[in-house]
């Protein structure tokens, strides 16, 4: 069936208001959870086929996150969907004022290849929880996972409710011509701009989950061994293909050598002397992306790693020493296992470097100084930050996950997902038993009484 026909079917289905029923949404999400549990092995297999992720890593960073999100929604949905009473305005006295959560309608979801299960399914959970229908287009670059996602959605939902459409940019382009009630996109900033332009055509609201160059500061007080261990995990999980991975390190010059040695030690601890042989180390998604990454190595001073095996899509965990700020690796988001290390002497040097780039998605600082953490919180704008660890912000569903400026528009996860896909419709029930004369013309010459009444004198 053609996409336009299926889209029309979703519209018709939404208009039946079947999704307005909270027990309908809960039943659908319970089914989704059951299907995911049934197909867990197939999901892990698909992720291995697409990205050579170990089952352990895939469970931790993809399947667990999704299952946890569904369980949270199932626990909280009855509360979230309730109409909320809010206090009224003195101008309207007497009245009862409400916020009524309503679904937007038919939503379009376009997802990337790097966490191809988690990033595709999590947005669907939020949209279904809020009572919307979904058309999801997974990334064509993770085809095995895209297929299992389609299988899962087809088994868990009717096509009028949630539908997966496979394809690449041309499919997205076709889908974007349709008039959606909400669009959520996860991917690169340049494509994010294309999505925003297409959404503007129909004045469709949207969320954009994008990327950027996330800095990682290590100051002179940071515990080196622990910092190195946590940076190595956050950087090399999924082979560095993580939107919030530390992109580059800014280390106090007194600790630069010790940190580099500690990072090398931790890389070896995690992946052995030959990471290509390691069960725990993944692969680059495809040749094109590998080429993009190896191009960044051309003018770089390699402090560790640098081995490439094109046939195996392998790129060793690599440290780059003191790159020029105009070199390839410092021009744009790396999105791979290359980690530039830049040393600084005074804190004043940090801002001009960090502010060369657009507002990042993540921000990391390793330090023992609370005052420095506070300064970072005040002085920089970023999607989400962490002190003394990296990338863990995505695991707490009580925190909104999203960027700012070029790293994204809007946020999701947990209740924030529900809010993203919900229009909170205000409604005032005005009483009939009293009709204060205050607002009606003809107006008095002075407004002293009005000011007194409104508490303005
Ligand atoms: P991408 O922008 O190339 O592709 C993302 C999706 O958009 C895919 O489904 C793709 O088919 C589609 N697409 C590609 N070109 C398009 C076009 N011209 N018009 C419409 N749709 C198009 O991104 P990617 O390579 O899959 O992912 C890497 C980027 O995503 C990185 O920048 C990374 O930081 C970012 N990212 C962000 C998050 C986040 O949560 N903020 C998560 C993962 C990845």
């Amino acid at each position: 069936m053609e996409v336009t026909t299926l889209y029309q079917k979703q519209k018709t289905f939404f208009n039946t208001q079947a999704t307005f029923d909270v027990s309908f949404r809960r039943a659908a999400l319970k089914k989704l959870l059951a299907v995911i549990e049934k197909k867990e092995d197939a999901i892990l297999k698909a992720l291995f086929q697409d990205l050579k992720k170990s089952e352990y890593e895939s469970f931790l960073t993809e399947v667990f996150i999704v299952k946890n999100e569904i369980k949270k929604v199932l626990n909280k949905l009855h509360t979230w969907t309730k109409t909320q009473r809010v206090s009224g305005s003195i101008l309207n006295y007497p009245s009862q004022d409400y916020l009524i959560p309503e679904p937007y309608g038919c939503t379009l979801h376009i997802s990337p290849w790097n966490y191809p299960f988690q990033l595709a399914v999590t947005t669907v959970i939020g949209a279904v929880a809020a009572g919307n229908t979904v058309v999801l287009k997974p990334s064509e670059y993770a085809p095995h996972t895209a297929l299992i996602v389609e299988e899962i959605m087809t088994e868990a939902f009717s096509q009028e409710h949630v539908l997966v459409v496979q394809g690449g940019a041309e499919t997205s382009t076709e889908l974007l011509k349709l008039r959606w009630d909400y669009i959520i996109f996860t991917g690169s900033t340049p494509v994010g701009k294309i999505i925003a332009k297409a959404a503007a055509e129909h004045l469709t609201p949207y969320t954009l989950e994008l990327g950027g160059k996330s800095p990682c500061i290590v100051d002179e007080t940071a515990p080196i061994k622990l910092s190195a261990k946590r940076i190595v995990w956050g950087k090399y999980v999924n082979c560095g293909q993580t939107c919030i991975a530390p992109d580059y390190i800014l280390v106090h010059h007194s600790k630069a050598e010790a940190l580099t040695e500690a990072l090398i030690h931790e890389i070896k601890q995690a992946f052995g002397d030959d990471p290509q042989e390691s069960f725990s180390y993944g692969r680059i998604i495809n040749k094109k992306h590998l080429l993009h990454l190896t191009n960044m190595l051309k003018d770089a001073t390699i402090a560790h790693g640098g081995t490439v095996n094109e046939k195996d899509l392998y790129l060793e965990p690599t440290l780059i020493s003191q790159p020029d700020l105009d070199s390839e690796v410092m021009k744009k988001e790396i999105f791979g296992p290359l980690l530039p290390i830049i040393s600084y002497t005074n804190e004043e040097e940090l801002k001009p470097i960090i502010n060369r780039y657009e507002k990042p998605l993540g921000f990391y600082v390793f330090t023992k100084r609370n005052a420095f953490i506070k300064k970072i919180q005040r002085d920089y704008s970023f999607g989400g930050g962490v002190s003394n660890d990296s990338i863990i912000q995505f695991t707490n569903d009580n925190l909104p996950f999203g960027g700012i400026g070029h790293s994204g528009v809007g946020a999701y996860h947990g209740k924030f997902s529900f809010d993203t896909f919900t229009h909170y419709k205000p409604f005032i029930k005005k009483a009939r038993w009293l009709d204060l004369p205050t607002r009606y013309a003809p107006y008095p010459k002075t407004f002293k009484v009005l000011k007194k009444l409104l508490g303005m004198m």
Side-chain angles (χ1 to χ4, degrees), residues 102-396:
E102 72 170 4
Y104 276 103
C106 298
T107 65
L108 173 65
H109 301 226
I110 300 175
S111 60
W113 51 261
N114 61 329
Y115 289 84
F117 181 71
Q118 190 233 119
L119 294 172
V121 182
T122 308
T123 67
V124 176
I125 297 165
V128 168
N132 301 276
T133 66
V134 173
V135 169
L136 164 69
K137 194 209 78 62
S139 173
E140 68 279 28
Y141 293 125
H144 298 93
T145 315
L147 210 62
I148 192 80
V149 166
E150 182 176 352
E151 270 177 47
I152 289 168
M153 296 301 169
T154 309
E155 191 171 334
F157 304 101
S158 71
Q159 285 203 329
E160 289 89 1
H161 190 195
V162 177
L163 169 74
V164 174
V165 176
Q166 303 285 1
E170 64 305 325
T171 306
S172 295
T173 309
E174 282 310 304
L175 288 168
L176 285 167
K177 285 181 190 155
L178 300 168
R179 181 171 177 169
W180 300 96
D181 299 305
Y182 203 95
I183 299 174
I184 185 157
F185 168 80
T186 308
S188 62
T189 305
V191 179
K193 289 182 185 176
I194 294 172
I195 307 292
K197 280 182 194 155
E201 192 58 40
H202 299 294
L203 290 179
T204 298
Y206 54 79
T207 293
L208 303 175
E209 295 285 335
L210 312 174
K213 262 185 123 46
S214 302
C216 177
I217 302 171
V218 181
D219 83 352
E220 60 276 33
T221 68
I224 291 303
K225 187 171 167 44
L226 185 68
S227 305
K229 192 173 184 179
R230 292 178 175 180
I231 292 169
V232 163
W233 180 72
K235 178 68 188 184
Y236 298 110
V237 69
N238 202 26
C239 230
Q241 300 164 119
T242 304
C243 53
I244 47 173
D247 191 278
Y248 60 100
I249 290 181
L250 293 165
V251 57
H252 190 265
H253 72 102
S254 63
K255 292 291 173 83
E257 208 180 312
L259 181 72
T260 308
E261 276 170 20
L263 288 169
I264 296 170
H265 175 78
E266 293 302 333
I267 290 170
K268 288 185 176 171
Q269 282 290 112
F271 309 115
D273 284 331
D274 183 4
Q276 197 172 355
E277 296 297 318
S278 168
F279 173 67
S280 305
Y281 191 63
R283 291 296 182 267
I284 305 303
I285 187 72
N286 55 33
K287 243 187 203 161
K288 189 174 154 219
H289 191 48
L290 182 68
L291 208 69
H292 159 80
L293 291 167
T294 49
N295 195 39
M296 290 181 177
L297 282 177
K298 278 190 184 134
D299 54 358
T301 307
I302 295 172
H304 177 78
T307 308
V308 183
N309 184 326
E310 203 182 298
K311 229 171 132 194
D312 190 21
L313 297 173
Y314 169 74
L315 177 51
E316 191 179 358
T318 299
L319 302 176
I320 294 171
S321 192
Q322 297 298 347
D324 191 286
L325 293 180
D326 293 317
S327 66
E328 283 304 316
V329 79
M330 292 307 292
K331 274 187 188 151
K332 42 188 171 208
E333 179 187 8
I334 297 171
F335 212 56
L338 313 177
L339 184 54
I341 303 169
I342 299 165
S343 60
Y344 68 90
T345 309
N346 300 310
E347 253 161 60
E348 294 72 57
E349 294 165 40
L350 296 173
K351 211 168 211 178
I353 299 176
I354 293 166
N355 287 351
R356 281 171 76 101
Y357 307 102
E358 296 290 345
K359 292 176 181 176
L361 188 58
F363 200 113
Y364 309 105
V365 55
F366 289 80
T367 180
K368 284 183 186 158
R369 294 181 297 147
N370 260 330
F372 189 45
I373 296 172
K374 282 215 169 99
K375 189 170 154 54
I376 297 289
Q377 291 171 342
R378 189 194 57 212
D379 287 2
Y380 296 96
S381 189
F382 44 80
V386 183
S387 60
N388 296 308
D389 211 333
S390 69
I391 83 166
I392 56 167
Q393 67 271 40
F394 84 98
T395 58
N396 182 358

